[in-house]
Amino acid sequence: MKLKFWGCRGSIVSPGIETKYYGGSTSCVEVITDDGFRLILDAGTGIIPLSKKLASSVSIHTVVDYKILLTHTHNDHVQGFVFFEPIHHINSYITIFCPKGTIKSLSTIIGNLFQAQYSPLKSIDNLKAQIDFVELEETAFNVGPFNIIPIPLDHNILTYGYRIRYNDIDIVYATDHEARPNEINQRLIEKAKGTQILIHDSQYTDEEYRSKTNWGHSSLSRVAQNALEINPQLLILFHHNPNHNDKQVESKMDIVNRMVKHRFRVISAKEGLTLKLRVKEDLDKI
Amino acid sequence: MEITFWGVRGSYPVSRKDSLLFGGNTSCIYINTSNNTHIIIDGGTGIRKLGDHLLTTQPAVGSNIYNLLLSHSHWDHILGLPFFGPLYHKNSIINVYGATMEYATLKNIFMGLHDTVYFPVALDDLPSQIEFYKIDPGDEFQIADARIKTMQLNHPSVDLGYRVAADGKVITVLTDTARIDEVVLGDGMVKEGKEKEEFIEKYKRDLITLCKDSDILVYDAHFTEENIAGKEFWGHSTPRDAIDIAIAADVKELILFHHDPDDNDINTWIKERNARMYLRSLPKHNLSLTAAYEGLHIRL
């Protein structure tokens, strides 16, 4: 299995010289099995370069299935879909999975991104691709060879993290979560226990968090506490604050490493980072 | 009067190491007059840093008025708006000027952006005072010491070009817009029939009148002559289109704007160099040109 980060930034893109190492694109992570089955986590702007790569590697005559698993529909997790190349190909079959909304249906929320005032495409009905929407309940499901367990997170709207299992490897993708002592967080810990890879929202330093309580993102101390309880082999800090430059993102890694006393490896997610996950020994090489 | 470019990219933001020199943020231009009138054209992703900058340089007491002129509301021109810092300060007054379309009013566009399914803070919960001013193409109006003239450009939906005159100087910003030889794109424009030719002739005259004698003309130059082929309907121009208008309107300085997200710095630089070569091949004129980059600042 391969894990590739295409966008690690939270809230809004922050391209520029000061963020060139970790990157400025918003949330998008690609998970691919050894046989090439692909699952795309979130459709932030990172999905745009991913889709350009995908489009250039297949003929427009080839039927291709795309599976996109959204944590929620905040703009930094859906914006890239408007520019997802395969929407323009008649042989694209796209399935979007997302927690069942309470206010609007998923098809309306995604469809409205294409309204004439926002997009020259004028309507989602003008897209050539076949798009299916799956509104998720809190029950485990399968997408191709992946077994996926939704985990409700603490955010401003209904947001799911996911425990994704393929062969013997587990990845927990828990972004846009405000870790704090409550029942939601406790359930995340329980459901994530024993995962090899933990990708966790790490938007704020402890100091920043003091003025951003209830904004739906985690402070580094809380990330460290969660990770110590979950005890993964690798903790990946994700959803970087757009105001953080490369130095600050790097220092988050050092801070959390100290907090968890190097009990497991801690890295900051970086645009372009690819992890090959076969056996435990692969993790040791990171 | 001064102008600063906070976002120069078209279509969508790019975060690539090969595009750092021109920058990856989408459209946002800031104009400031000698009376400290703040005029912001478009709220692409560049507006986040502009907002942070304004907050550090503006007085904390008394009200600060920010005037936002929207060319149109395609994503690349509004994506940064919810991250404009002054929206979250109760002493900010934000005057938004833009077109209302058949399918959406100016306020609808903002309500949509702040719909809680997309963004955690609803429009009504913002502490700043936001006023919406509907502009019809062709309207002229005053913002403090600045005189604004408008016209509808050749782009899908209703897209406004702005001529901003203050301190005896003129800055005209025309984005997004396509050349108008055949393809007519805007809502309400004459797209077929026998009046089409007449409409196009009038459009061309009006465009030159709007740009006439501008000290600075910022112009959509998304494409090159080579890569516009097949994309004539996308609503963007080439440097050559921009130069022809600028010369006809006796503009002093042309700024090529709205760079193609597929172009890296080298491609954008080649686009600028080829534009200069074309300019040099033309007889008698006083035009100079620059490709816009993030951070470009010109004081007139």
Side-chain angles (χ1 to χ4, degrees):
Chain A
M1 180 161 54
K2 209 172 80 177
L3 186 64
K4 182 164 182 183
F5 290 85
W6 291 87
C8 316
R9 199 58 64 170
S11 309
I12 186 172
V13 294
S14 60
I17 307 273
E18 66 283 0
T19 55
K20 70 174 178 180
Y21 185 76
Y22 286 98
S25 298
T26 57
S27 299
C28 182
V29 181
E30 183 187 21
V31 190
I32 317 168
T33 67
D34 301 336
D35 330 324
F37 191 95
R38 175 179 285 105
L39 184 63
I40 300 170
L41 307 177
D42 281 328
T45 61
I47 206 173
I48 305 169
L50 164 61
S51 75
K52 296 217 171 244
K53 195 203 85 179
L54 295 177
S56 67
S57 64
V58 294
S59 147
I60 52 166
H61 305 294
T62 313
V63 173
V64 188
D65 277 321
Y66 299 94
K67 308 289 184 193
I68 302 175
L69 182 55
L70 301 178
T71 53
H72 63 309
T73 57
H74 278 167
N75 215 320
D76 52 330
H77 296 256
V78 298
Q79 175 60 221
F81 187 66
V82 186
F83 302 98
F84 186 61
E85 281 289 308
I87 61 177
H88 300 294
H89 299 164
I90 196 151
N91 284 319
S92 299
Y93 291 80
I94 303 170
T95 313
I96 301 179
F97 302 86
C98 188
K100 188 175 168 61
T102 46
I103 311 166
K104 286 179 184 157
S105 70
L106 179 60
S107 60
T108 305
I109 295 170
I110 301 299
N112 284 353
L113 297 172
F114 293 89
Q115 284 176 322
Q117 64 268 36
Y118 299 126
S119 166
L121 300 169
K122 296 193 168 154
S123 165
I124 195 166
D125 299 333
N126 292 331
L127 303 184
K128 290 188 180 143
Q130 167 75 42
I131 304 173
D132 290 314
F133 298 95
V134 179
E135 301 201 2
L136 300 172
E137 306 278 356
E138 210 196 308
T139 42
F141 60 102
N142 292 320
V143 177
F146 293 105
N147 176 256
I148 300 170
I149 303 169
I151 309 172
L153 300 179
D154 196 351
H155 199 54
N156 326 89
I157 59 168
L158 179 61
T159 301
Y160 284 165
Y162 298 101
R163 181 168 182 148
I164 300 162
R165 175 172 291 175
Y166 169 69
N167 281 351
D168 287 334
I169 309 233
D170 282 27
I171 297 166
V172 170
Y173 180 63
T175 190
D176 293 59
H177 172 62
E178 184 162 352
R180 45 185 163 180
N182 62 17
E183 211 176 298
I184 304 174
N185 193 57
Q186 199 50 44
R187 277 174 66 204
L188 164 64
I189 290 169
E190 276 154 27
K191 292 200 168 188
K193 262 186 187 153
T195 184
Q196 284 98 332
I197 310 280
L198 173 62
I199 302 167
H200 200 296
D201 183 316
S202 311
Q203 182 140 342
Y204 301 127
T205 63
D206 289 0
E207 197 188 348
E208 286 164 349
Y209 180 71
R210 267 173 237 138
S211 60
K212 308 281 186 194
T213 310
N214 295 325
W215 282 41
H217 298 289
S218 295
S219 68
L220 298 182
S221 290
R222 297 280 192 208
V223 176
Q225 281 172 31
N226 273 9
L228 281 170
E229 293 203 53
I230 292 166
N231 199 27
Q233 287 169 31
L234 174 67
L235 167 63
I236 302 174
L237 307 178
F238 190 74
H239 208 270
H240 304 310
N241 189 329
N243 294 324
H244 287 172
N245 60 28
D246 285 332
K247 232 181 190 167
Q248 289 167 298
V249 176
E250 175 137 343
S251 78
K252 291 201 304 194
M253 181 162 71
D254 300 335
I255 292 167
V256 177
N257 249 315
R258 273 198 302 278
M259 286 171 170
V260 300
K261 301 193 171 57
H262 302 274
R263 278 204 11 218
F264 39 79
R265 303 178 71 85
V266 180
I267 58 170
S268 283
K270 163 187 180 307
E271 224 164 287
L273 173 70
T274 306
L275 304 176
K276 285 191 180 128
L277 310 168
R278 249 159 298 159
V279 284
K280 190 185 166 299
E281 290 72 56
D282 284 340
L283 291 177
D284 294 336
K285 287 185 215 142
I286 292 160
Chain B
M1 190 152 61
E2 56 186 329
I3 180 168
T4 314
F5 291 82
W6 291 85
V8 300
R9 193 62 58 174
S11 307
Y12 52 82
V14 291
S15 170
R16 288 195 313 255
K17 291 186 180 66
D18 65 13
S19 307
L20 293 166
L21 294 178
F22 287 96
N25 283 299
T26 61
S27 298
C28 181
I29 295 169
Y30 173 72
I31 295 171
N32 192 244
T33 70
S34 59
N35 281 5
N36 199 25
T37 304
H38 305 288
I39 294 172
I40 300 160
I41 299 183
D42 286 342
T45 63
I47 204 172
R48 178 177 68 93
K49 280 193 180 168
L50 167 61
D52 294 347
H53 172 75
L54 290 171
L55 287 176
T56 59
T57 52
Q58 293 309 303
V61 288
S63 48
N64 298 308
I65 301 172
Y66 302 98
N67 302 287
L68 173 69
L69 307 182
L70 267 195
S71 65
H72 65 310
S73 57
H74 283 162
W75 279 118
D76 50 329
H77 296 257
I78 58 166
L79 188 52
L81 286 170
F83 297 90
F84 182 55
L87 284 174
Y88 300 87
H89 286 255
K90 66 175 190 304
N91 63 343
S92 303
I93 298 171
I94 294 153
N95 296 323
V96 184
Y97 299 83
T100 272
M101 286 148 281
E102 250 172 69
Y103 32 85
T105 66
L106 199 50
K107 192 171 180 184
N108 287 155
I109 292 159
F110 277 71
M111 300 273 281
L113 270 178
H114 284 268
D115 186 323
T116 51
V117 299
Y118 302 123
F119 190 76
V121 187
L123 190 63
D124 290 339
D125 294 336
L126 292 172
S128 53
Q129 186 187 327
I130 307 170
E131 303 288 346
F132 295 97
Y133 298 94
K134 173 180 174 265
I135 304 302
D136 289 321
D139 280 359
E140 285 189 42
F141 52 98
Q142 195 77 24
I143 298 176
D145 55 337
R147 183 80 191 154
I148 318 288
K149 289 185 185 176
T150 66
M151 93 172 250
Q152 185 177 3
L153 302 179
N154 191 25
H155 192 71
S157 80
V158 182
D159 189 315
L160 297 171
Y162 292 101
R163 177 186 172 101
V164 180
D167 306 329
K169 301 284 180 186
V170 175
I171 296 172
T172 305
V173 177
L174 305 185
T175 197
D176 302 356
T177 191
R179 71 172 71 138
I180 198 155
D181 287 338
E182 275 299 320
V183 180
V184 179
L185 296 164
D187 292 358
M189 289 177 149
V190 182
K191 298 192 178 74
E192 51 198 8
K194 54 180 191 296
E195 286 107 42
K196 181 176 170 184
E197 206 171 313
E198 204 178 303
F199 171 80
I200 290 176
E201 285 314 308
K202 183 177 183 309
Y203 177 95
K204 285 181 176 170
R205 280 197 307 274
D206 289 350
L207 195 68
I208 289 166
T209 308
L210 189 72
C211 302
K212 189 71 186 154
D213 296 323
S214 294
D215 294 277
I216 290 175
L217 171 63
V218 181
Y219 204 99
D220 175 350
H222 187 106
F223 290 122
T224 62
E225 295 303 323
E226 296 76 45
N227 64 19
I228 196 172
K231 296 175 179 171
E232 294 83 358
F233 290 85
W234 287 27
H236 301 291
S237 300
T238 67
R240 201 173 277 211
D241 299 329
I243 289 167
D244 292 343
I245 300 285
I247 289 181
D250 296 311
V251 167
K252 294 194 181 64
E253 177 152 19
L254 172 66
I255 314 277
L256 306 177
F257 187 70
H258 206 272
H259 302 311
D260 189 332
D262 282 340
D263 280 349
N264 61 23
D265 286 332
I266 293 171
N267 296 137
T268 309
W269 177 76
I270 291 171
K271 179 171 80 173
E272 183 189 43
R273 192 202 59 173
N274 288 346
R276 287 217 174 97
M277 280 167 63
Y278 172 67
L279 188 60
R280 242 176 264 141
S281 74
L282 300 175
K284 222 169 153 265
H285 62 78
N286 293 315
L287 182 66
S288 63
L289 73 80
T290 309
Y293 55 88
E294 238 172 76
L296 171 62
H297 173 250
I298 303 168
R299 188 187 293 271
L300 288 170

